[in-house]
């Protein structure tokens, strides 16, 4: 593995024009193993191949071929947004090629791009669902047509490619530029005063502007952001908040409506605020993130409480058993949080990214990377039915992971996130490097003044809480730089230790939640050790979260745990509904698992279930049961599961 | 007011061929005022006129005219099931005419019937959405087309008319018979092996068989019931359980899927079980009622936990804040419970009817009878937006009552229930009369052996718990009969007293929950007084109902109460989310309202809402706030509301 040391545009999904922190790209940070390295390997070997095959067999890639031969609309297959899955797949391939330089993937990438290119109209229009003879006309269904949404994903794919293989001759950037030029004509200040019913084009245009230097694209992104809340979309049963077309972005108090749309829009709006210097908008987005995190986010980091409209609930409306917590909303939340982290350097944004990575993004795919959760419930009441490995599932009704969905946004969204994950590990500022996520990694970069920074990270986190950073650079005398290590909000009691390579005395001190800095003229072999407290802990919800009142969750490090019925034989029951936490129960680590004491419910099984208050659990014997990491649940067959466990009173 | 004394087929919606109890119809029981009499008056003066006008202005009645002049499908308006609202309106008119003999309503009834009649095809087919040139062919969309569903409501309307005006020359019964004959040909044993995606035709056919004596209709109803669970409908995202086509009716463990469909099917299946002597099926339906009541019913009697598919949740899945509790599901539940009550005489079925009448059916309409709740949430988190009195709302998103809905099944369903409510008050068996619901009423009937029974009921129930039954018959010497009075399950401590007209000593005794019997040779002026305990009470949920763990509700008599934000100024807050019940709080009656002590929450308004358990309410001062009857909430403008109130720990 070789990496070029550079301080130019990073090989990363997000490259803001300004901000507190500069992202380090794939060319500067490389995950070398561990929890996330393993998942990246599965992503490459399992998920990307699986998606590639499904895009063919479902007809979503062949739709582009049909556009060329005039086979639309009769033979077209898939929903109106199926083009976007091809683009997300291309984006994932671009990141994976950037990461591993895999020749087979490069060949596949070029083949897919060629098929997409062939379907583009002379004026830049590109969509297999509209605009062909016998189809609805272009831009005729902005509420549900997803044309601009699809192009947003096309733009992100082109950005990924240009950042990882600048100047490549595959043609993807040209496709994107032609489409973006058309969008600017059709939807510019002199064009349609309209937006897309699913935000995404904003974030795609903003990054395309950064890659190409074309200010029209940024301006177009700005126009789309500003037009939200003007009510240009038709009203629908769930209200215009579904599309975020109810209130202007800068006037909103929290994310609301469809949770993926909301996060994509917030991400694009942040890009616009950064690149146009709109600090009022940026401050509003920060406040919206604060309230959304405080009142509309599950303990897993998941977002979206409604199945019906895949939407955020109201403040405190966070039902565990009807949690939608769509995988793609988790991906969108990471996009939004990452942009705010780069802008302001607030560790809380990195905390939520970590929580969401471990408990949403890592939960979705099966161990083989070929089946996925679309929704991520926190409470499974009845055992799921195993999915047919050959079939396509409705989007969210599977209670076990399914290989594909009619609305199959989640698999390629997970794939592009994992393939680009190296670029979410660390950032730099003028004085050093900040580590936000902990994984075995190799980091090589240079500060603007030329100071070279090189270190490796060794850790088995989150198995243990020890992270070792080993310096690999011999700094010039006096060339100090600052290594900043995030200490998660749960990390009270963390300690940091500096062990000089020259055998000098180690220094150790407390590292309070937030971040700890080590400023030093690092020499090769100097080691900085961070010890995060990894004892399992009981977590209580805010008392206003009605749905989990009287319950506790168990966490350890960044991982949320769950009670799963397949572990309950030791308690003589087969359903999580039958037990509660024993009074005073505390979780313990034993034999690589976390255990907790439970007692059996003694409720009656018949009759009217409302009446005088009685304590039904007095004197019940307790028994220790093992918990499962939430991201590993449902891997042992059908089961019931709950993250929030009733506390016996 | 005159009433004919009869023991032939009652002037009532349900007339089983056998069973423990015989229903007394409008011709035998007449509500004379009080809580339900007032609502019947509003129903006649407000709701029926409102529905009649809307059916015209929405185009749903004119659709029938269009069928005649060839204006379909171009000018047709309304959803695929809009015909059914016309039929439910006819049913409501029929009962109201039976009750009050209103000449204007009679004229309107005949006019509507004539317009429906004109649209019927020569072979009996009748539907404005299918079967005409340019429309889908007949029976081509059994999943969603609702053709048989519409006919089921037509049959119920014809039954109502024939029971209230036997032999009337308006022609409605003939329309129904021609349509039913066609259904028997098309879907009989030699016809399509198929069912309708929305149950209703079963219950309509069964009653039509009872009215006409035509056994083919009962057999057709039986076939439809037996075909459920065969998977003849296409699978959908929510599974075939949505249509109750997942499991045979007799093999099911509980009601499931779409809550209106489930209750209508259970009602029709009960009719079939009764009239075919299928005691195995009847026993299964009783068990399903038991489990549905014990695990899938809200404290209001409401049913259906899911907005997305308007469906029952799993056992114990009863979120207050996402309660769908559709008004029509409440009507369907009353239909099912009433049939089981007639079959077996179990007071629990009458208890659920009462609970559902007071807390679902009475909650839906506004005081003027011109706006309705479609869904009946138990927890309103954000103040609703007042509905435009001229507009049509999406079905369930209104958090204030709305005048009409795109899916407007609820207004006519409430109307037909209230117009026929006299027939749900009392029953008879060979030895006497049973009073199941308490309202000021006049009762006149005769037992099979000729014993005449006549009494009046005087009560202001549920304002007070005193029900007075005053005998109006002079029984022949030795002609005793038994008056049975239901004592609700919450009625522990009830007392019954017999005060003879002749000045003899009164007898008084305890009346345990269930029923109390008074057997006597009643003389004119003899009085039986029942006193039900009406102190407000705290109600706790079964500990397995996750969504309301740690909360209590307040009830008084049959009425559920709620905390509404407009009453909270006295506590210095403006949102129900800001308070909890004070430790040890007990509700009290004062000045005609029920009051309870609450304390203010002190939760923080920012930051991650999950962490170590802390008691945030220590030492908070309590203040008494008034509660609102749940059926009266949202009548004072936008507000937040909750039935289940957190209990301070």
């Amino acid at each position: 593995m070789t990496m070029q040391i550079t301080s130019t545009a990073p090989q990363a999904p997000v490259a803001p024009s300004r901000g507190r922190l500069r992202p380090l790209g794939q060319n500067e940070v490389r995950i070398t193993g561990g929890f996330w390295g393993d998942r990246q390997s599965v992503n490459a070997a399992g998920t990307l191949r699986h998606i590639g095959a499904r895009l063919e067999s479902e007809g979503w890639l062949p739709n582009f071929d049909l556009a060329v031969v005039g086979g639309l609309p009769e033979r077209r297959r898939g929903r109106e947004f199926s083009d976007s899955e091809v683009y997300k797949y291309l984006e994932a391939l671009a990141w994976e090629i950037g990461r591993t330089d895999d020749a087979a993937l490069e060949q596949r990438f070029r083949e897919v791009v060629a098929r997409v290119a062939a379907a583009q109209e002379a004026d830049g229009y590109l969509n297999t669902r509209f605009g062909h003879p016998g189809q609805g006309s272009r831009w005729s269904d902005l509420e549900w047509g997803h044309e601009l949404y699809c192009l947003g994903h096309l733009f992100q794919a082109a950005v990924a490619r240009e950042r990882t293989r600048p100047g490549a001759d595959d043609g993807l950037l040209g496709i994107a530029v032609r489409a973006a030029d058309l969008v600017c004509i059709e939807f510019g200040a002199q064009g349609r005063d309209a937006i897309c019913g699913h935000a995404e084009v904003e974030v795609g245009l903003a990054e395309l502007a950064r890659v190409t230097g074309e200010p029209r694209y940024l301006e177009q992104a700005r126009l789309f952001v500003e037009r939200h809340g003007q009510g240009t979309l038709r009203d629908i049963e769930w209200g215009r908040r579904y599309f975020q077309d109810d209130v202007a972005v800068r006037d909103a108090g929290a994310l609301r409506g469809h949770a993926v749309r909301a996060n994509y829009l917030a991400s694009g709006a942040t890009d616009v605020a950064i690149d146009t210097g709109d600090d009022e908008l940026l401050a509003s987005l920060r406040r919206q993130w604060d309230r959304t995190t405080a009142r509309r986010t599950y303990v897993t980091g998941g977002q979206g409480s409604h199945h019906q409209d895949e939407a955020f609930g109201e403040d405190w409306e966070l039902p565990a058993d009807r949690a939608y917590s769509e995988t793609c909303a988790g991906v969108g939340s990471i996009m939004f949080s990452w942009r705010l982290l780069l802008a302001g350097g607030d560790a809380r944004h990195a905390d939520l990214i970590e929580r969401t990575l471990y408990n949403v993004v890592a939960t979705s795919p099966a161990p083989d990377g070929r089946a996925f959760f679309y929704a991520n419930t926190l409470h499974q009441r009845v055992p799921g039915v195993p999915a047919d490995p050959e079939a396509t599932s409705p989007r969210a009704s599977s209670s076990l992971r399914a290989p594909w969905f009619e609305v199959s946004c989640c698999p390629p969204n997970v794939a592009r996130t994992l393939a680009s994950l190296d670029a979410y590990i660390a950032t730099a500022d003028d004085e050093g490097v900040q580590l936000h996520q902990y994984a075995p990694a190799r980091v090589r970069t240079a500060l603007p003044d030329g100071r070279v920074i090189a270190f490796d990270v060794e850790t088995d986190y989150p198995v243990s809480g020890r992270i070792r950073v080993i310096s690999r650079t011999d700094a010039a005398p006096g060339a100090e730089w600052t290594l900043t290590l995030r200490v998660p909000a749960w990390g009270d009691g963390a300690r940091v230790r500096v062990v000089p390579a020259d055998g000098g005395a180690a220094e150790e001190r407390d590292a309070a939640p937030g971040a700890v800095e080590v400023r030093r003229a690092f020499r090769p072999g100097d080691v900085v050790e961070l010890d995060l407290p990894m004892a399992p802990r009981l977590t209580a919800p805010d008392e206003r979260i009605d749905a989990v009142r009287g319950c506790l969750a168990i966490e350890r490090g960044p991982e949320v745990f769950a009670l799963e019925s397949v572990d309950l034989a030791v308690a003589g029951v087969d359903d999580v509904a039958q037990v509660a936490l024993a009074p005073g129960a505390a979780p313990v680590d034993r034999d690589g698992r976390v255990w907790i004491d439970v007692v059996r419910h003694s409720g009656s099984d018949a009759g009217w279930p409302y009446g005088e208050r009685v304590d039904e659990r007095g004197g019940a014997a307790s028994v220790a049961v093992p918990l499962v990491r939430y991201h590993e649940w449902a891997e042992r067959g059908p089961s019931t599961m709950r993250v929030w466990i009733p506390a016996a009173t």
Side-chain angles (χ1 to χ4, degrees), chain A:
Chain A
M1 182 175 68
T2 61
M3 292 194 295
Q4 187 189 355
I5 294 174
T6 174
S7 64
T8 62
Q11 195 164 317
V14 188
S17 63
R18 65 189 177 104
R20 168 82 182 76
L21 306 176
R22 177 176 65 82
L24 298 187
Q26 287 181 327
N27 48 335
E28 296 160 296
V29 180
R30 192 62 54 86
I31 296 171
T32 54
F35 186 99
W36 292 111
D38 291 350
R39 275 155 184 81
Q40 289 186 313
S41 299
V42 169
N43 190 49
T47 304
L48 284 176
R49 279 170 174 68
H50 175 74
I51 294 171
R54 279 287 184 157
L55 290 177
E56 299 288 358
S57 64
E58 297 282 339
W60 302 356
L61 237 173
N63 286 341
F64 289 87
D65 311 332
L66 292 173
V68 177
V69 301
L72 300 176
E74 294 75 15
R75 293 158 57 201
R76 188 181 185 283
R77 291 169 61 198
R79 293 285 299 272
E80 56 273 38
F81 35 72
S82 67
D83 293 1
S84 72
E85 314 312 345
V86 173
Y87 303 146
K88 270 185 282 188
Y89 171 58
L90 281 176
E91 184 189 341
L93 286 178
W95 294 121
E96 188 60 22
I97 292 165
R99 207 173 68 83
T100 60
D101 215 11
D102 184 295
L105 292 184
E106 173 72 21
Q107 184 182 345
R108 173 69 171 158
F109 180 88
R110 287 174 175 265
E111 177 214 323
V112 173
V113 170
R115 292 163 73 182
V116 170
Q120 190 169 32
E121 310 280 322
D123 66 353
Y125 185 79
L126 180 56
N127 190 283
T128 69
R129 177 68 178 71
F130 289 90
H132 302 88
Q135 291 184 323
S137 59
R138 295 178 182 183
W139 328 118
S140 59
D141 183 9
L142 290 169
E143 286 79 12
W144 301 107
H146 288 76
E147 288 157 284
L148 291 165
Y149 165 85
C150 289
L151 292 180
H153 279 300
L154 171 71
F155 301 158
Q156 286 194 307
V159 166
R161 182 62 169 177
E162 184 63 14
R163 292 236 172 93
T164 51
R165 291 290 178 271
D169 63 351
D170 53 80
L172 184 57
L173 186 61
I175 300 171
V177 162
R178 284 189 293 279
D181 289 345
L182 180 69
V183 168
C184 292
I185 293 168
E186 296 284 346
F187 294 92
Q190 312 305 319
R192 290 174 175 76
D193 183 18
I195 58 174
C196 183
H198 196 316
E200 162 64 22
V201 72
E202 300 80 4
V203 75
L205 280 168
E207 282 299 330
L208 192 64
R210 290 166 176 171
V211 154
T212 60
E214 175 51 66
R216 282 180 302 130
Y217 303 159
L218 175 62
E219 171 60 13
Q220 187 62 51
R222 190 190 69 77
L223 281 174
F224 281 136
V225 169
E226 293 294 339
R227 284 174 190 161
H228 277 82
Q230 307 299 316
T232 63
L233 296 172
R234 279 195 310 271
D235 202 6
I236 59 169
E237 175 171 345
W238 308 312
R240 289 196 179 90
R241 69 156 52 188
Y242 175 84
F243 309 118
Q244 295 77 46
D245 195 23
D246 54 335
V247 177
V249 175
R250 72 181 64 238
D251 296 334
L255 298 199
R256 70 226 176 275
H258 188 275
V260 182
R261 286 167 166 81
N263 273 295
Y264 283 7
L265 177 61
S267 300
T270 306
D271 287 339
V272 166
I274 294 288
D275 284 8
T276 63
D278 189 343
D279 288 338
E280 179 197 294
L281 177 59
L282 183 60
S284 171
L285 290 160
R286 276 208 185 92
R287 286 194 301 272
Q288 294 178 48
W289 186 96
D290 287 350
R291 179 154 151 204
T292 304
T293 304
R295 299 185 173 202
R296 300 184 178 195
T297 302
Y298 286 100
V299 69
T300 55
Q303 297 183 340
S305 308
H306 295 182
H307 278 243
Q308 187 179 43
D309 48 355
E310 307 186 300
F312 282 100
E314 301 296 339
D315 287 348
W316 316 119
E317 187 190 339
L318 291 161
D321 56 337
R322 291 292 287 166
Y324 198 66
S325 181
E326 184 181 340
T327 301
C328 289
V331 169
S333 163
I334 291 170
M335 288 167 55
F336 181 32
S337 295
W338 179 246
R339 282 160 172 79
L340 292 181
L341 176 65
L342 295 179
D346 184 340
R348 294 181 307 140
H349 299 133
D351 277 0
L352 184 62
I353 290 172
E354 178 177 54
R355 185 174 289 275
T356 309
L357 282 172
Y358 277 100
N359 301 296
V360 179
V361 173
T363 303
S364 175
D368 69 357
R370 292 170 179 276
F372 306 85
F373 278 130
Y374 187 109
N376 296 278
T377 187
L378 273 71
H379 183 183
Q380 181 69 31
R381 291 186 181 276
V382 292
V385 177
D388 176 347
E390 301 308 315
T392 296
S393 294
R395 57 187 174 195
S397 60
S398 60
S399 44
L400 291 168
R401 295 173 183 87
W404 201 251
F405 306 90
E406 289 170 14
V407 179
S408 219
C409 40
C410 295
N413 233 343
V414 168
R416 67 177 183 144
T417 303
L418 291 174
S420 61
L421 197 61
D422 312 73
Y424 291 92
I425 301 297
T427 59
D429 62 12
D430 289 351
E431 287 306 315
V433 165
Q434 302 78 39
L435 267 181
H436 303 286
Q437 306 300 337
Y438 296 118
R442 181 173 162 85
V443 179
R444 304 289 185 271
T445 189
L447 300 184
D449 62 9
R451 276 175 287 176
V452 169
I453 293 177
F455 60 83
D456 296 335
V457 182
E458 293 179 0
T459 183
D460 64 352
Y461 183 85
V463 175
S464 84
R466 172 159 297 186
I467 295 105
R468 300 182 76 236
V469 176
I470 302 129
S471 172
R472 299 302 184 198
T473 332
D474 199 353
E480 294 186 333
W481 60 274
T482 303
L483 173 69
T484 305
L485 302 170
R486 180 176 61 94
V487 179
W490 46 262
D492 212 19
R495 302 277 293 172
V496 68
R497 190 181 311 106
V498 181
V499 185
D502 62 9
E507 300 165 35
E508 182 168 338
R509 56 191 159 98
D510 284 344
V516 61
E517 296 185 352
V518 176
R519 184 164 181 87
R520 184 178 176 83
F522 282 96
R523 303 294 308 274
D526 283 356
V527 174
V528 178
E529 285 181 355
L530 177 66
D531 275 306
L532 295 173
M534 299 299 280
R537 58 193 193 274
L538 281 175
T539 298
D542 185 290
E543 63 182 359
R544 289 164 293 188
I545 304 176
D546 296 291
V548 292
R549 178 172 289 112
C551 292
L552 297 170
I554 291 92
E555 301 180 277
R556 180 181 176 279
E559 295 175 310
V560 174
F561 282 68
L563 193 66
E564 191 174 4
S565 57
V566 289
D567 290 317
L568 292 185
V570 63
V573 300
D574 60 3
D575 183 356
V576 295
Q578 296 169 295
V579 297
L581 293 180
V588 293
D589 258 323
R590 196 170 70 227
D591 307 326
R593 298 193 72 172
V594 173
W595 298 69
I596 195 138
D597 288 344
V598 299
V599 293
R600 287 183 64 163
H601 279 220
S602 56
S604 144
D605 273 351
W608 186 243
Y610 309 100
E612 284 183 74
R613 180 151 55 164
V614 288
D615 181 357
E616 297 186 357
R617 271 195 233 91
S622 71
V623 57
V625 297
L627 300 165
V628 64
R629 287 171 176 79
Y630 176 68
H631 60 75
E632 291 178 342
W633 92 272
E635 293 181 357
R636 294 170 290 171
S639 62
T640 60
M641 178 278 298
R642 61 187 308 160
V643 165
W644 291 103
I645 311 175
T649 51

